[in-house]
């Protein structure tokens, strides 16, 4: 009897404190409710000290707007009942003490936030300093060995400092509604460093150090789950709203490509389905899966060509013969693309092949024999060109990929021409130079003139023609001329 009386007295004191808090903070919450389009019950819980609330919850709470939901949860001091009736009405009775947290539609920090406000971007803009609405909002949660709730945003625009050293990735990490880290970098892989948002988990201690936090199993599990969720959301966007995905790709496609290359290709299987490349057949962006579906049965490779723009790539002499076969080519216009293709290596049992490779089009035994005989017949001329160019090229050979053009430039070894161009742009980076190979079309008119000069014993003319052809090949490959003035002089001499 005595115990029952003490419990009842304690309950009355707690209720009195709750009602007092309700009176003091009613005006403040009323202002917030007007902004959030919330009609509270007569004794609805009020905010107390930022994230902590205390009060007597009672009456009916009506929420206006599409897909709005009740946004507070907490630890009950006495039996409490929260029942969702219909879509927007929630009766609540009981006494409770707790905090604002993450609900089915959004997250809260000291006040109830609703899905409509999140989509409109008001809270997102204020919290993360963006001036545009998020492109997508991702909500995920889990209970069990690891318990957490997360709300993630995919921005529409690239932050101004995104590709600088000053940019910091990471999600805000909360423990039971208390912020313990403003930017937890370990929750996001580098390939998804553009994602913003919050994670709330009761599994972390409030006084845990950053060093200990980085090595906790819970953090690694949450990070792995978020990684899968982000990819799934992006794939859904790619399938259901291609226009919006194209916006995402324009903003962050380069980051996805760097993710494929980074960590020695460790994330390539995660990211390959997200990649987009310009298609010669579709005249627009395509995925690798769509490319494969259109691939003829006799096509041996995934073909790609690198260059400064789609228009310039389409005019490369190397693409002509492959397009004539009816094969599709992926046009790669970013510096990192060549690295991406080499990191991917193969897909579905078929290799990625540059149009610059001399074996881009497989030859039959008869074709190989005919090509070898032709190259042997032109060996004297090819050797004369190599002698004239000296160390500028590693080799001069008969081309098996040119159709109408007179020449092109390719590379031997692990360093491609695109890698050379990329490394030359890096400030303070290591200067790489590819082993250049000048390929000549032995069926072209310029080669015939070159052969005629060689047979006549005019070594000066052979040297001039060789330098002209090499200069043309450099320009078509997007490489700078070693001596532009010398090249201009040689061109002018042809006019007199």
């Amino acid at each position: 009897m005595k115990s029952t009386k003490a419990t009842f007295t304690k309950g009355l004191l707690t209720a009195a404190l709750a009602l007092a808090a309700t009176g003091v903070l009613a005006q403040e919450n009323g202002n917030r409710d007007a902004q959030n389009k919330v009609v509270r019950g007569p004794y609805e819980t009020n905010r107390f000290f930022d994230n902590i609330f205390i009060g007597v919850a009672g009456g009916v709470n009506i929420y206006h707007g599409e897909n709005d939901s009740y946004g507070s949860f907490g630890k009950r001091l006495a039996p409490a009942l929260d029942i969702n009736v219909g879509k927007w009405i929630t009766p609540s009775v009981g006494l409770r003490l707790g905090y604002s947290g993450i609900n089915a539609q959004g997250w809260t920090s000291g006040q109830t936030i609703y899905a409509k406000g999140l989509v409109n971007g008001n809270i997102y803009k204020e919290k993360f300093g963006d001036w545009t609405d998020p492109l997508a909002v991702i909500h995920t949660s889990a209970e069990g060995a690891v318990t957490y709730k997360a709300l993630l945003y995919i921005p529409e625009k690239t932050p101004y400092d995104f590709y600088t050293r000053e940019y910091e990735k990471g999600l805000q990490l909360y423990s039971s509604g208390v912020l313990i880290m403003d930017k937890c970098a370990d929750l996001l892989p580098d390939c998804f460093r553009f994602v913003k948002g919050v994670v709330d988990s009761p599994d972390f201690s409030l006084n845990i150090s950053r060093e200990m936090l980085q090595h906790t199993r819970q953090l690694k599990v949450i990070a792995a789950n978020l990684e899968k969720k982000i990819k799934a959301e992006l794939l859904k966007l790619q399938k259901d709203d291609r226009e919006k995905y194209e916006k995402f790709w324009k903003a962050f496609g380069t980051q996805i490509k760097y993710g494929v290359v980074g960590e020695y290709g460790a994330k390539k299987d995660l990211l390959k389905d997200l990649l987009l490349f310009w298609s010669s057949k579709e005249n627009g962006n395509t995925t690798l899966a769509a490319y494969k579906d259109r691939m003829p049965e006799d096509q041996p490779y995934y073909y790609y060509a690198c260059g400064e723009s789609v228009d310039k790539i389409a005019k490369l002499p190397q693409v002509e013969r492959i397009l004539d076969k009816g094969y599709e080519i992926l046009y790669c216009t970013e510096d990192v693309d060549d690295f991406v293709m080499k990191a991917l290596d193969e897909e579905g049992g078929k290799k990625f092949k540059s149009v610059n490779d001399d074996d881009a089009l497989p030859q039959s035994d008869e074709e190989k024999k005919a090509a070898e005989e032709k190259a042997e017949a032109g060996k004297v001329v090819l050797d004369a060109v190599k002698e004239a160019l000296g160390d500028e090229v590693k080799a001069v050979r008969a081309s098996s990929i040119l159709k109408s053009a007179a020449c092109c430039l390719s590379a031997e070894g692990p360093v491609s021409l695109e890698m050379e161009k990329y490394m030359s742009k890096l400030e303070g980076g290591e200067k790489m130079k590819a082993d250049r190979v000048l390929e000549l079309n032995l069926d072209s008119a310029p080669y015939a003139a070159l052969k005629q000069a060689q047979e006549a014993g005019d070594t000066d003319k052979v040297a001039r023609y060789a330098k002209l052809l090499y200069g043309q090949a450099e320009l078509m490959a997007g490489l700078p001329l070693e001596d532009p003035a010398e090249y201009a002089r040689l061109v002018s001499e042809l006019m007199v």
Side-chain angles (χ1 to χ4, degrees):
M1 183 72 180
K2 194 171 185 179
S3 175
T4 303
K5 184 177 180 181
T7 302
F8 180 73
T9 303
K10 184 177 180 182
L12 287 177
L13 290 174
T14 306
L17 177 61
L19 290 174
T22 299
V24 172
L25 299 173
Q27 183 176 358
E28 180 182 357
N29 278 333
N31 295 335
R32 296 183 185 278
D33 291 346
Q35 295 175 357
N36 293 327
K37 299 181 179 179
V38 177
V39 179
R40 289 183 180 269
Y43 301 105
E44 172 57 357
T45 307
N46 281 292
R47 195 168 73 91
F48 183 63
F49 291 132
D50 195 25
N51 286 333
I52 305 299
F53 60 73
I54 183 171
V56 177
V60 177
N61 308 297
I62 304 175
Y63 307 106
H64 300 287
E66 200 170 1
N67 296 326
D68 288 346
S69 65
Y70 184 61
S72 299
F73 67 93
K75 299 177 181 178
R76 272 66 171 176
L77 294 183
L81 180 63
D82 291 337
I83 305 174
N84 290 317
V85 179
K87 197 171 184 179
W88 298 316
I89 303 177
T90 306
S92 296
V93 295
L95 177 67
R96 61 188 181 179
L97 171 66
Y99 58 89
S100 297
I102 301 171
N103 61 25
Q105 300 295 333
W107 73 284
T108 64
S109 178
Q111 58 178 309
T112 303
I113 307 300
Y114 298 96
K116 190 172 182 181
L118 291 168
V119 173
N120 289 340
N122 297 330
I123 303 304
Y124 165 75
K125 292 175 184 177
E126 294 175 8
K127 190 70 176 175
F128 299 105
D130 201 348
W131 55 276
T132 58
D133 293 337
L135 198 64
V137 180
I138 306 171
H139 178 270
T140 183
S141 62
E143 293 184 2
V146 176
T147 300
Y148 68 91
K149 297 183 181 183
L151 185 67
L152 310 178
Y153 300 95
I154 298 177
E156 182 178 353
K157 303 289 184 181
T158 309
Y160 72 93
D161 61 343
F162 187 67
Y163 291 108
T164 68
R165 295 179 180 178
E166 286 71 29
Y167 183 83
E168 292 183 66
K169 71 167 184 175
L171 303 176
Q172 291 186 336
L173 181 59
Y174 288 77
S175 177
S176 300
V178 179
L179 180 66
I180 59 175
M181 189 177 294
D182 186 52
K183 289 188 178 180
C184 184
D186 294 305
L187 284 172
L188 289 175
D190 284 341
C191 56
F192 295 146
R193 64 199 293 261
F194 50 82
V195 175
K196 301 178 181 180
V198 295
V199 176
D200 193 321
S201 173
D203 296 339
F204 299 113
S205 172
L206 294 180
N207 60 357
I208 189 171
S209 66
R210 289 197 177 194
E211 290 74 17
M212 292 181 62
L213 182 64
Q214 291 172 350
H215 297 92
T216 58
R217 182 187 66 85
Q218 293 92 333
L219 190 73
K220 294 177 181 178
V221 171
I222 294 174
N225 291 345
L226 294 182
E227 181 181 83
K228 295 175 184 177
K229 187 68 177 179
I230 294 169
K231 179 188 175 180
E233 183 65 23
L234 290 174
L235 285 176
K236 181 182 177 184
L237 197 65
Q238 183 189 99
K239 179 181 178 181
D240 298 341
D241 194 338
R242 187 55 178 265
E243 183 179 352
K244 187 174 284 190
Y245 188 79
E246 293 274 357
K247 287 183 179 179
F248 159 77
W249 187 255
K250 183 178 180 181
F252 301 108
T254 302
Q255 181 60 33
I256 298 297
K257 291 178 180 179
Y258 277 114
V260 172
V261 176
E263 300 178 49
Y264 301 98
K267 299 289 185 182
K268 67 178 182 180
D269 290 332
L270 172 75
L271 301 173
K272 63 184 180 182
D273 295 331
L274 302 176
L275 295 171
L276 292 183
F277 296 99
W278 192 271
S279 165
S280 63
K281 187 168 288 186
E282 295 295 300
N283 198 31
N285 283 326
T286 185
T287 63
L288 295 179
Y291 179 100
K292 184 178 181 181
D293 291 341
R294 294 189 296 268
M295 190 183 294
E297 291 184 4
D298 65 336
Q299 183 173 330
Y301 305 114
Y302 287 85
Y303 288 108
Y304 70 93
C306 298
E308 294 180 5
S309 67
V310 169
D311 291 338
K312 289 184 178 181
I313 295 174
K315 295 174 183 177
L316 287 175
Q318 296 95 319
V319 308
E320 187 177 8
R321 192 181 292 274
I322 294 174
L323 291 178
D324 286 348
K325 284 275 191 180
Y327 299 156
E328 185 175 354
I329 301 176
L330 300 174
Y331 291 167
C332 302
T333 57
E334 293 192 81
D335 294 333
V336 71
D337 284 338
D338 193 58
F339 294 90
V340 171
M341 294 304 186
K342 285 179 168 52
L344 291 173
D345 189 40
E346 68 174 2
E347 173 64 19
K350 292 191 176 184
K351 293 274 189 179
F352 287 85
K353 181 69 70 173
S354 170
V355 298
N356 291 330
D357 294 344
D358 60 341
D359 61 344
L361 285 175
Q363 297 176 318
S364 64
D365 293 338
E366 292 78 11
E367 290 173 331
K368 287 181 180 179
K369 184 177 180 180
E372 289 172 0
E373 291 175 353
K374 185 182 290 186
E376 185 63 29
K379 186 176 185 305
V380 177
V381 179
L382 297 175
D383 288 345
V385 174
K386 173 65 175 76
E387 184 179 353
L389 295 177
D391 294 335
E392 292 187 76
V393 295
K394 184 177 181 180
V396 178
R397 66 181 175 218
S399 178
S400 60
I401 59 175
L402 293 176
K403 182 178 180 181
S404 60
C407 61
C408 71
L409 205 60
S410 61
E412 283 186 355
V415 181
S416 67
L417 297 175
E418 296 306 314
M419 290 181 181
E420 177 184 328
K421 288 189 283 186
Y422 176 81
M423 297 305 294
S424 67
K425 295 177 182 178
L426 296 180
E427 185 178 351
E430 182 181 352
K431 301 301 180 184
M432 288 183 170
K433 191 163 185 179
D435 292 330
R436 300 182 180 186
V437 176
L438 178 63
E439 299 195 19
L440 299 179
N441 183 356
L442 303 191
D443 296 323
S444 66
Y447 176 80
L450 187 63
K451 181 180 179 181
Q452 184 178 4
Q454 191 276 328
E455 291 175 345
D458 192 343
T459 55
D460 289 342
K461 183 177 286 188
V462 170
R464 292 199 303 272
Y465 285 175
K467 292 177 181 178
L468 276 171
L469 290 172
Y470 180 61
Q472 290 178 22
E474 282 186 306
L475 291 173
M476 286 187 290
L479 294 165
L481 295 171
E482 291 289 339
D483 191 347
E486 173 67 8
Y487 182 78
R489 183 185 66 80
L490 291 172
V491 173
S492 297
E493 287 180 356
L494 294 176
M495 304 174 64
V496 295

